[in-house]
Amino acid sequence: MARQPIYDREGTVYAYELLYRSASGPGAGTMDVVASAQALANTLIEIGLDRLAGDKLAFINVSEDLLHTDAIRLLPRDRVVLELLETLKLDESTESGIEVLRRAGYTLAFDDFVFEPSQFGFLSKVEIVKIDVLDTPRSVIRDQLDQVKRYGIKLLAEKVEDKAMHRRCMAWGFDYFQGYYYAKPEGMESRALAPRHQVML
């Protein structure tokens, strides 16, 4: 696992995004953000949410497969923010899965919002929207951000690379900030339990 801090406007750590890779996977900078249900269970059992996020919230990526498994509800709703990946399509099945999590009290975020019409349907269902400020044209952010603000949700600027971009994001009214300007992902490792030990536990 790796974690990358998310800061608020006062410069205080608000949360950590958790990134997953296998032991044979790539380095911390290119970790796979789509954790399987098994990886999610390993995170909770072998490393522990307290070690990964301390007393802060943990942002955890939720793929379509994970959205429709009971494993997601192993996560304590007061400790996590479930980050819906941009690959999700807002069909009947997805809406049903989101509604189950909302009724259970989970906080939801939408990842990589790029102002596409198909993505606006998610805005009434989440509390936080993440916008990649490195890859999204500044003119698009500047001209269309007010449309997102009308939904009363929090805005998170990700991939903030330098001080100039940080200042722009502050001026645009973002609530939270994440990127290499603040901190790179920090790798965290743990040895897996042998199956016999898991059975005994």
Side-chain angles (χ1 to χ4, degrees):
M1 298 294 299
R3 68 179 191 178
Q4 187 176 29
I6 296 169
Y7 294 87
D8 61 19
R9 291 182 67 87
E10 284 69 47
T12 302
V13 174
Y14 164 70
Y16 291 96
E17 180 174 6
L18 304 186
L19 309 169
Y20 171 77
R21 69 175 175 90
S22 65
S24 59
T30 56
M31 288 190 175
D32 181 5
V33 297
V34 184
S36 66
Q38 181 63 49
L40 185 62
N42 290 346
T43 300
L44 294 175
I45 295 169
E46 294 166 8
I47 300 181
L49 199 54
D50 287 339
R51 182 181 167 205
L52 286 165
D55 61 351
K56 306 299 183 183
L57 291 169
F59 276 60
I60 296 178
N61 289 268
V62 177
S63 63
E64 184 172 0
D65 290 340
L66 194 54
L67 178 66
H68 299 296
T69 66
D70 290 335
I72 195 73
R73 281 176 281 177
L74 291 170
L75 295 166
R77 59 177 177 260
D78 60 331
R79 297 292 316 281
V80 301
V81 175
L82 302 180
E83 197 171 317
L84 305 176
L85 295 180
E86 70 281 3
T87 53
L88 285 171
K89 294 181 180 178
L90 195 58
D91 54 21
E92 185 176 342
S93 176
T94 299
E95 286 202 61
S96 175
I98 290 174
E99 189 56 34
V100 167
L101 295 175
R102 283 167 57 90
R103 286 200 303 266
Y106 285 98
T107 299
L108 302 179
F110 187 80
D111 189 30
D112 279 343
F113 187 83
V114 293
F115 302 93
E116 290 183 355
S118 61
Q119 293 182 327
F120 275 86
F122 283 93
L123 296 184
S124 62
K125 304 178 187 303
V126 300
E127 289 77 38
I128 300 170
V129 163
K130 296 183 73 174
I131 297 173
D132 183 336
V133 296
L134 181 64
D135 291 338
T136 306
R138 295 176 193 173
S139 59
V140 172
I141 298 175
R142 185 178 59 248
D143 297 340
Q144 299 190 41
L145 199 60
D146 283 344
Q147 296 181 49
V148 180
K149 290 180 181 179
R150 293 193 191 108
Y151 287 83
I153 56 184
K154 299 292 186 180
L155 301 172
L156 195 164
E158 61 177 337
K159 294 187 181 178
V160 179
E161 300 287 294
D162 53 41
K163 189 172 184 178
M165 179 56 77
H166 169 76
R167 287 176 173 171
R168 277 192 291 271
C169 291
M170 290 285 285
W172 284 332
F174 279 90
D175 302 284
Y176 305 116
F177 310 87
Q178 178 183 7
Y180 280 12
Y181 173 63
Y182 315 103
K184 293 182 178 181
E186 172 192 3
M188 306 186 76
E189 297 181 356
S190 178
R191 180 177 296 175
L193 290 171
R196 64 182 181 278
H197 292 159
Q198 294 182 24
V199 172
M200 290 171 64
L201 286 171

